[in-house]
Amino acid sequence: MDSRYDCLVIGAGMAGAVAARELAERGGRRVLVLERRAHVGGNAYDCFDKAGVLIHQYGPHIFHTNSKRVFDYLSRFTAWRNYQHQVVANIPEGTERMELPVPFNLISLRAVFPPEQAAALEKKLLAAYGPERKVTILELRESADPSIRALADYVYEHVFVHYTVKQWGQRPEEIDPATTARVPVFLSEDCRYFQDEYQGMPLEGYTPMFQRLLDHPDITVETGVDALERLELTEEGILLDGVPFGGLVLYTGAADELFGFRYGRLPYRTLDFTFETYPVDNWQSHGTVNYTMDQEYTRITEFKYLTGQELPGVTTVMKEYSRAYTGAAGEIPYYAIINAENNALYARYKAEADRWSNLHLLGRLAEYKYYNMDAIAARALELCDELLK
Ligand code: FAD
Ligand code: UDP
């Protein structure tokens, strides 16, 4: 038996980092963390670009949660900058362009319709659903009231359908309803993208937060290591570097990859990012601008809004292009495509994993779920509660 470590954690993203910390600190275990990338932090990793701007290499990450446990936990490893994310949809209007708050809310409504019509619609919406209610676009389109349905059609056309086709290659009614429900129509004047109780950005960035999470005498982190080259799942048990490993193994990579894709690939969407640096203080009006009707990219994020970095005369923005994940070298599986067929395929991989009682699948990839960071942190804490009982 390999006696150097009690636990093996594969992946140093939110799932792996929180779990490793818990196993070492609360469980007194010696933990080996293997991470394929050259850095920790998973998709939440951030770093400074050549212009000195703090960027998010794998897509914009804003922390938000209603879980006091998760917020308090992560607050041990970072201070926070109070940041309330706001997003606008940038849409063509004649020869000009217009920006509307997203989620589409009462402010968006008043910007689009003449005052009398907007007031009448507002009244109807509030009577039908109640103030401060979040109504999904699919629900709104089912309204029995023709004027509410007409509004729903407007929002569907101007905010949802084209963006969703760009992001998923499918229309809103064809994808998991929980996906568009993330961005409901909001019967409120609150223009924030999230309404969670706790939200913000790690004051010095995500990477230092992850480094502190993993900084523990009983945690060893090896980056640039593909764990699947060192791990073997055999009938007799799990081998690490060819030696039986009887300790806990927490795997946060893709479930199909762990088993050599033996039942076929789990479908994902991947993203291509382009970064552009401009010699101006600020380049766009908000942290994120969604291009909901045209352009090839889905959205543009300007990091300085998120991070609050003070750096006059220079800024970096990022455009996101979504496409089908093929598994080609260098591609990253970013979004699981949740539907009954894919969930059934995932269940076959999960059943395989369950054959090893010391092997646990944890995280957005390993669980094939559309999880935000806080949900992953909560999952990691709960799994460790269970394992350390
Ligand atoms: P990951 O971050 O993917 O980490 C898994 C790690 O495992 C990776 O570092 C990977 O390299 C490693 N790994 C995989 N296989 C192996 C192997 N064989 N050997 C060694 N290492 C391996 N959430 C929010 O809360 N707010 C946001 O604003 C937000 N924005 C997002 C924007 C985008 C574009 C995307 C794609 C996601 C966003 N998320 C956001 C979700 C967030 O990224 C995830 O919830 C979180 O990163 C999941 O953590 P994880 O540890 O499960 O997975
Ligand atoms: N969405 C949309 N238009 C928007 C914003 C979101 O159609 O302006 C839909 C789209 O289907 C998207 C989903 O809502 O994939 C969830 O959006 P969110 O911003 O939560 O996605 P993420 O940040 O996870 O990419």
Side-chain angles (χ1 to χ4, degrees):
M1 289 284 258
D2 188 323
S3 58
R4 289 170 300 164
Y5 302 106
D6 306 307
C7 303
L8 172 63
V9 172
I10 298 167
M14 184 64 88
V18 170
R21 181 76 190 202
E22 282 294 274
L23 293 171
E25 191 172 64
R26 192 148 59 102
R29 312 290 166 92
R30 294 162 304 165
V31 185
L32 173 63
V33 179
L34 298 180
E35 167 55 57
R36 184 149 57 189
R37 294 178 186 169
H39 57 75
V40 301
N43 287 340
Y45 168 75
D46 55 14
C47 60
F48 290 93
D49 69 6
K50 281 198 204 109
V53 180
L54 183 58
I55 59 160
H56 296 181
Q57 191 80 51
Y58 307 99
H61 281 70
I62 298 106
F63 182 77
H64 56 102
T65 190
N66 284 317
S67 164
K68 184 170 184 326
R69 182 181 189 193
V70 167
F71 182 72
D72 288 347
Y73 189 80
L74 293 178
S75 299
R76 289 182 48 211
F77 307 100
T78 187
W80 300 94
R81 151 181 156 76
N82 177 11
Y83 173 69
Q84 313 276 316
H85 194 47
Q86 292 199 6
V87 176
V88 289
N90 182 301
I91 60 180
E93 192 195 33
T95 55
E96 305 285 302
R97 300 195 68 93
M98 162 168 81
E99 292 194 332
L100 291 180
V102 173
F104 193 94
N105 62 16
L106 298 180
I107 307 287
S108 323
L109 179 78
R110 292 170 201 156
V112 169
F113 297 101
E116 269 176 36
Q117 195 184 350
L121 275 168
E122 204 171 313
K123 217 168 142 195
K124 278 197 168 175
L125 286 165
L126 295 179
Y129 303 99
E132 301 298 313
R133 259 292 310 276
K134 292 183 171 173
V135 188
T136 70
I137 184 61
L138 300 178
E139 188 185 351
L140 203 66
R141 292 191 96 206
E142 312 257 283
S143 168
D145 184 316
S147 59
I148 293 183
R149 267 205 320 279
L151 168 68
D153 286 345
Y154 177 92
V155 179
Y156 181 82
E157 169 65 20
H158 290 81
V159 179
F160 284 97
V161 65
H162 305 288
Y163 187 102
T164 299
V165 168
K166 278 192 274 184
Q167 176 69 12
W168 298 98
Q170 287 180 296
R171 297 168 68 84
E173 55 280 9
E174 294 169 325
I175 64 172
D176 179 17
T179 299
T180 47
R182 290 166 61 92
V183 185
V185 173
F186 190 21
L187 305 185
S188 168
E189 295 180 351
D190 183 346
C191 288
R192 296 172 305 160
Y193 205 58
F194 311 110
Q195 276 69 44
D196 301 54
E197 187 169 353
Y198 309 99
Q199 43 187 310
M201 299 290 292
L203 195 59
E204 297 157 62
Y206 287 97
T207 304
M209 178 183 85
F210 281 100
Q211 286 165 341
R212 284 193 283 266
L213 263 164
L214 290 162
D215 181 14
H216 186 279
D218 287 330
I219 300 178
T220 304
V221 181
E222 292 182 27
T223 52
V225 176
D226 186 340
L228 297 186
E229 288 174 4
R230 292 176 55 180
L231 195 77
E232 261 178 279
L233 303 177
T234 74
E235 292 303 327
E236 288 71 42
I238 297 179
L239 307 183
L240 175 63
D241 299 327
V243 178
F245 186 83
L248 289 170
V249 178
L250 270 55
Y251 176 76
T252 76
D256 53 356
E257 196 181 355
L258 182 60
F259 295 103
F261 311 102
R262 70 176 60 151
Y263 303 123
R265 280 186 181 274
L266 283 165
Y268 283 97
R269 298 291 288 179
T270 189
L271 298 171
D272 295 314
F273 300 117
T274 59
F275 294 87
E276 296 167 11
T277 299
Y278 293 101
V280 294
D281 290 345
N282 280 114
W283 187 81
Q284 63 183 18
S285 65
H286 292 75
T288 297
V289 177
N290 288 359
Y291 286 78
T292 54
M293 295 197 73
D294 54 5
Q295 312 298 356
E296 297 278 298
Y297 42 84
T298 51
R299 58 187 177 191
I300 304 183
T301 295
E302 182 169 359
F303 296 104
K304 280 170 73 180
Y305 282 98
L306 280 55
T307 60
Q309 189 181 6
E310 294 205 11
L311 196 63
V314 64
T315 192
T316 299
V317 303
M318 183 181 83
K319 294 178 175 162
E320 294 177 52
Y321 300 80
S322 174
R323 62 182 167 86
Y325 173 73
T326 66
E331 268 183 11
I332 296 174
Y334 284 114
Y335 293 89
I337 303 175
I338 308 293
N339 61 37
E341 192 186 337
N342 299 348
N343 290 350
L345 179 56
Y346 172 76
R348 297 183 72 185
Y349 286 113
K350 173 75 171 84
E352 280 289 319
D354 287 343
R355 290 171 52 210
W356 288 270
S357 60
N358 57 334
L359 173 64
H360 301 273
L361 302 186
L362 174 71
R364 176 153 153 146
L365 285 168
E367 297 180 58
Y368 199 66
K369 289 260 167 60
Y370 193 164
Y371 277 140
N372 289 330
M373 286 181 283
D374 66 322
I376 294 296
R379 291 274 310 134
L381 292 172
E382 282 155 19
L383 178 63
C384 292
D385 287 345
E386 198 60 34
L387 296 173
L388 297 176
K389 244 204 300 231

